[in-house]
């Protein structure tokens, strides 16, 4: 729920979500979409090509930006091995992708355009070891460039690359602080 609120998918019934001081409804949807990357728990590919799905069907998408996002999600080589590479059609019953591959394509889509806020909801739910390493590397790389990365997770294994932890209990703040303090 929190991830969907932060990403602007849902509107809060109480309070408000602000990005750079403005409530989400004060942003133009196209602008807001370029600032926020969101990886939901259940990733779905829409009918189209891998490149179109990574680029969020942005008609102004540049190949270099799509490839950059795929490389950041460590899925570029896998895409190149597909029969049609980035032109491979997905989002249909015949799509040639496993759950882990869909999750990593969803990560590439969330990373597309270098968002300033990245929201990852259970990002390692379908990832193997290689995918988890790619996720950690992507989080560290984005944090190094000043991107705010928010990771929702039930498993502690995904929080290697974060610096602060917020624990919610029954919808309320239970603990918040530096990762080292929380895990003591």
């Amino acid at each position: 729920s929190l991830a969907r609120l932060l990403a602007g998918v849902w509107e809060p019934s109480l309070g408000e979500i602000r990005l750079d001081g403005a409530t989400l409804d004060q942003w133009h949807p196209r602008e807001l979409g370029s600032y926020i990357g969101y990886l939901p728990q259940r990733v779905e590919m829409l009918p189209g090509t891998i490149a179109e799905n990574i680029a969020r069907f942005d008609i102004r998408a540049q190949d270099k930006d799509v490839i950059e996002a795929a490389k950041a999600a460590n899925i570029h080589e896998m895409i190149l091995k597909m029969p049609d590479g980035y032109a491979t059609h997905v989002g249909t019953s015949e799509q040639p992708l496993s759950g882990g591959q869909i999750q990593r394509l969803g990560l590439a889509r969330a990373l597309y355009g270098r968002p300033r806020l990245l929201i990852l909801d259970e990002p390692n739910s379908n990832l193997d070891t290689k995918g988890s390493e790619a996720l950690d590397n992507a989080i560290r790389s984005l944090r190094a460039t000043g991107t705010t990365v928010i990771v929702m997770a039930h498993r502690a294994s995904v929080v290697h690359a974060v610096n602060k932890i917020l624990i919610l209990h029954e919808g309320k703040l239970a603990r918040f602080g530096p990762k080292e303090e929380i895990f003591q």
Side-chain angles (χ1 to χ4, degrees):
S1 299
L2 180 58
R4 290 180 179 188
L5 287 166
L6 292 172
V9 175
W10 290 350
E11 290 185 27
S13 55
L14 291 171
E16 56 194 12
I17 307 290
R18 291 184 172 268
L19 182 59
D20 285 339
T23 59
L24 296 183
D25 63 347
Q26 292 175 315
W27 286 79
H28 187 281
R30 186 175 301 146
E31 272 187 48
L32 183 62
S34 68
Y35 285 103
I36 297 177
Y38 174 50
L39 177 65
Q41 281 184 11
R42 285 190 218 102
V43 178
E44 293 183 30
M45 294 291 110
L46 298 172
T49 67
I50 287 176
E52 289 170 331
N53 270 274
I54 290 174
R56 306 176 192 171
F57 291 86
D58 179 359
I59 59 173
R60 297 169 290 149
Q62 301 289 313
D63 290 344
K64 66 179 180 60
D65 297 327
V66 172
I67 292 168
E68 178 183 314
K71 285 181 176 179
N74 198 14
I75 198 164
H76 175 70
E77 295 301 322
M78 184 223 59
I79 294 170
L80 294 179
K81 291 177 184 172
M82 296 265 177
D84 296 318
Y86 282 88
T88 300
H89 282 270
V90 294
T92 64
S93 59
E94 298 97 35
Q95 79 178 0
L97 303 172
S98 70
Q101 290 170 327
I102 292 171
Q103 190 83 8
R104 287 174 64 193
L105 283 172
L107 177 59
R109 179 170 46 203
L111 297 172
Y112 174 75
R114 297 185 212 148
R116 302 305 299 154
L117 172 63
L118 180 64
I119 303 161
L120 306 172
D121 193 358
E122 295 292 341
N124 61 344
S125 61
N126 291 308
L127 297 180
D128 57 11
T129 303
K130 191 173 181 179
S132 292
E133 289 172 6
L135 175 64
D136 281 353
N137 290 337
I139 292 171
R140 289 178 204 279
S141 174
L142 286 163
R143 285 190 51 231
T145 63
T147 298
T148 300
V149 182
I150 299 173
V151 181
M152 303 341 172
H154 288 97
R155 291 187 257 160
S157 62
V158 76
V159 298
H160 295 301
V162 302
N163 60 339
K164 293 185 181 174
I165 302 284
L166 167 74
I167 297 176
L168 295 175
H169 180 69
E170 296 181 3
K172 295 184 181 165
L173 172 69
R175 294 192 69 195
F176 177 70
K179 175 175 61 175
E180 297 76 24
E181 288 179 20
I182 299 296
F183 283 142
Q184 282 183 343

